[in-house]
Amino acid sequence: MALVALLVLAASLAWPASSQPLPVLVPVTKDPATSLYTLPFHSGANLVVDIAGPLVWSTCQPGHLPAKFPCTFPTCRLANAYPVPGCHEPGCEQDRRKDGTCTAYTNNPVTGVCASGSLDRTRFVANTTNGSNPVSQVSVRAVAACAPETLLASLPRGSTGVAGLAGSGLALPALVASAQKVANKFLLCLPRLGEGNGVAIFGGGPLQLTAQPGVDYTQELVYTPLVAKQGNPAHYVSVESIAVEGARVPVPARALATGGVVLSTKVHFTLLRRDVYRPFVDAFAKALVQQGAQGGPVARAVNPVAPFELCYDTRSLANTRTGYWVPRISLALEGGVNYSMNGLLSMVNVQGGAACLAFTEMKGVKAGDGSAPAVIIGGFQMENVVLEFDMEKKRLGFFRLPFFTRCGHFNFTRTG
Ligand SMILES: *[C@@H]1O[C@H](CO)[C@@H](O)[C@H](O)[C@H]1NC(C)=O
Ligand SMILES: *[C@@H]1O[C@H](CO)[C@@H](O)[C@H](O)[C@H]1NC(C)=O
Ligand SMILES: *[C@@H]1O[C@H](CO)[C@@H](O)[C@H](O)[C@H]1NC(C)=O
Ligand SMILES: *[C@@H]1O[C@H](CO)[C@@H](O)[C@H](O)[C@H]1NC(C)=O
């Protein structure tokens, strides 16, 4: 008896690491045609990353047999916990399938089209990671909704569905957390086009990149609370003010709080509601003129290239390691931290030798309309920024990578 106890004790001392499950890694690819990001889900299934999506969906094999989730199962309730845009009010009770199994609603984040389908068991096949390399392959139990092939319209060629990464119970981070016993959080490092694959790590850090071996970028993160919004599992943050080159942009009082500020990977360039957009663009144009007057390069405005408003001749801008030398934009977030954007994050090259301020005005929404967010932070402004979405601690961590490294610098080579 005592010997058994001793052996058990010895075993638990000998392999302390084995009780610590490793996070799960996937490469993240940017699609040049749509500027959407995809990740491999399992062999033959690439899914579009939707950080505001409530669940995972994909087209199911024709003739597949759906798993039987009765309406009353917790999994079915989780699938229907949030109203899906474009769909009628979800819920098994109102829309009972003939056999009494669960109906799930799926939404194409680009077209906004909705469809209903069954809920199915599936597998997420990826690698575990120690934070700097893949370690070993894992097959993670998961649940996904089935959608018709027609729901794939406007998604990247070759993708077969959407991986929702919102704060909901059937989003991919929560599925990995419960199957792998890792924390319900994920790191996201979105790549810029042509800079290699970025990375998503479910369960958290560390995160190392090849340019600085041994440096864990999760140690550099600063945090702001994730704000819960009723009826919406997307990741919202609280922006207190916007500054251009240190000067506060005069947006109307409470404009930023009205509708809130959300992060989105389906939007490429950050969208601003009119009441925020107008003062912001004016402040940027003014600050750039001021920079020229104070001895900086004199930016020569050129005709706007849609959808942008402020465009400049690239020959009149100074190009630096951190992008064009333009006024720094910063979002002052709750918690006293700034999300600050240099030229690499604020300017985009367009055709004809011009570079434009990479922010656009929200269409079809009136100034101050709280049914729309004040700001939707898009993928372009998140590229080469390490983001940590932590649904347990309800906070967003972020760190803009230094100019000499990139999200595309993760080492996907496995050893041993
Ligand atoms: C796991 O990593 C290895 C080595 O990089 C790679 O060949 C393999 O495709 C990865 N597996 C998955 C499922 O991503
Ligand atoms: C991860 O594993 C690789 C391969 O064994 C090793 O070279 C690397 O140092 C490890 N990284 C960390 C952070 O432990
Ligand atoms: C990637 O990791 C492998 C295994 O640790 C190592 O041999 C290789 O040199 C690394 N590559 C880079 C570019 O650092
Ligand atoms: C954030 O930005 C504002 C405006 O540029 C600045 O006054 C403030 O000192 C910054 N705070 C931190 C913590 O960097």
Side-chain angles (χ1 to χ4, degrees):
M1 204 48 204
L3 184 65
V4 172
L6 206 64
L7 284 174
V8 169
L9 182 68
S12 65
L13 287 176
W15 295 289
S18 65
S19 61
Q20 193 71 23
L22 287 176
V24 175
L25 163 82
V26 277
V28 174
T29 305
K30 185 174 181 179
D31 176 55
T34 59
S35 294
L36 295 168
Y37 309 89
T38 61
L39 57 80
F41 190 72
H42 52 236
S43 171
N46 286 310
L47 303 186
V48 175
V49 172
D50 180 7
I51 57 174
L55 42 69
V56 178
W57 65 259
S58 69
T59 50
C60 295
Q61 300 304 320
H64 87 287
L65 294 171
K68 298 255 187 279
F69 287 105
C71 274
T72 50
F73 264 38
T75 308
C76 186
R77 292 181 190 280
L78 288 178
N80 289 292
Y82 295 96
V84 180
C87 297
H88 65 94
E89 201 59 30
C92 230
E93 301 317 317
Q94 292 102 305
D95 194 8
R96 194 177 281 276
R97 293 176 78 80
K98 282 188 222 77
D99 58 359
T101 55
C102 191
T103 300
Y105 293 87
T106 50
N107 165 277
N108 178 314
V110 178
T111 61
V113 170
C114 162
S116 67
S118 57
L119 209 54
D120 216 352
R121 293 186 200 284
T122 181
R123 292 271 171 181
F124 172 39
V125 182
N127 280 301
T128 57
T129 181
N130 64 359
S132 64
N133 296 82
V135 172
S136 58
Q137 189 159 305
V138 279
S139 174
V140 180
R141 271 182 293 112
V143 170
C146 287
E149 201 122 337
T150 51
L151 205 64
L152 298 176
S154 302
L155 298 184
R157 181 185 293 271
S159 62
T160 53
V162 169
L165 306 184
S168 44
L170 292 191
L172 190 52
L175 293 173
V176 177
S178 80
Q180 294 299 109
K181 308 284 174 267
V182 293
N184 186 9
K185 63 179 179 178
F186 68 99
L187 292 172
L188 186 65
C189 200
L190 296 173
R192 193 140 279 184
L193 209 56
E195 292 182 353
N197 287 332
V199 59
I201 301 179
F202 298 94
L207 172 65
Q208 298 191 7
L209 299 169
T210 54
Q212 281 185 302
V215 173
D216 171 14
Y217 292 104
T218 63
Q219 298 301 311
E220 311 289 331
L221 298 171
V222 295
Y223 296 95
T224 189
L226 283 171
V227 181
K229 200 166 157 95
Q230 181 112 46
N232 192 332
H235 302 290
Y236 281 79
V237 291
S238 174
V239 175
E240 289 166 352
S241 62
I242 303 178
V244 172
E245 201 58 36
R248 195 182 175 122
V249 176
V251 297
R254 299 210 34 85
L256 293 164
T258 305
V261 174
V262 70
L263 294 98
S264 169
T265 43
K266 71 177 184 186
V267 164
H268 194 224
F269 300 107
T270 295
L271 284 166
L272 305 172
R273 203 176 51 210
R274 184 160 184 84
D275 47 323
V276 179
Y277 178 81
R278 199 65 265 151
F280 169 74
V281 169
D282 293 345
F284 187 88
K286 206 173 97 187
L288 192 56
V289 168
Q290 231 161 47
Q291 198 178 63
Q294 287 165 0
V298 178
R300 193 164 51 253
V302 296
N303 285 338
V305 176
F308 308 110
E309 179 177 336
L310 292 184
C311 298
Y312 302 91
D313 185 337
T314 53
R315 290 166 302 182
S316 69
L317 298 169
N319 208 349
T320 74
R321 293 181 301 193
T322 56
Y324 293 113
W325 181 26
V326 292
R328 176 170 299 264
I329 296 166
S330 48
L331 308 179
L333 295 160
E334 182 182 355
V337 294
N338 286 335
Y339 192 95
S340 98
M341 295 173 251
N342 55 26
L344 284 175
L345 288 180
S346 64
M347 301 291 289
V348 62
N349 284 323
V350 295
Q351 70 274 26
C356 303
L357 178 65
F359 290 75
T360 62
E361 184 178 346
M362 235 173 253
K363 296 287 171 232
V365 181
K366 290 207 179 69
D369 179 353
S371 67
V375 180
I376 304 176
I377 299 174
F380 185 84
Q381 272 80 21
M382 292 189 264
E383 287 173 353
N384 292 324
V385 179
V386 178
L387 298 167
E388 183 192 75
F389 296 84
D390 189 333
M391 281 68 80
E392 289 178 6
K393 294 186 175 147
K394 299 187 178 14
R395 63 183 190 177
L396 172 74
F398 59 90
F399 172 65
R400 199 183 65 222
L401 288 173
F403 69 88
F404 52 81
T405 190
R406 299 277 182 261
C407 289
H409 289 173
F410 189 84
N411 188 340
F412 285 100
T413 306
R414 190 162 64 189
T415 48

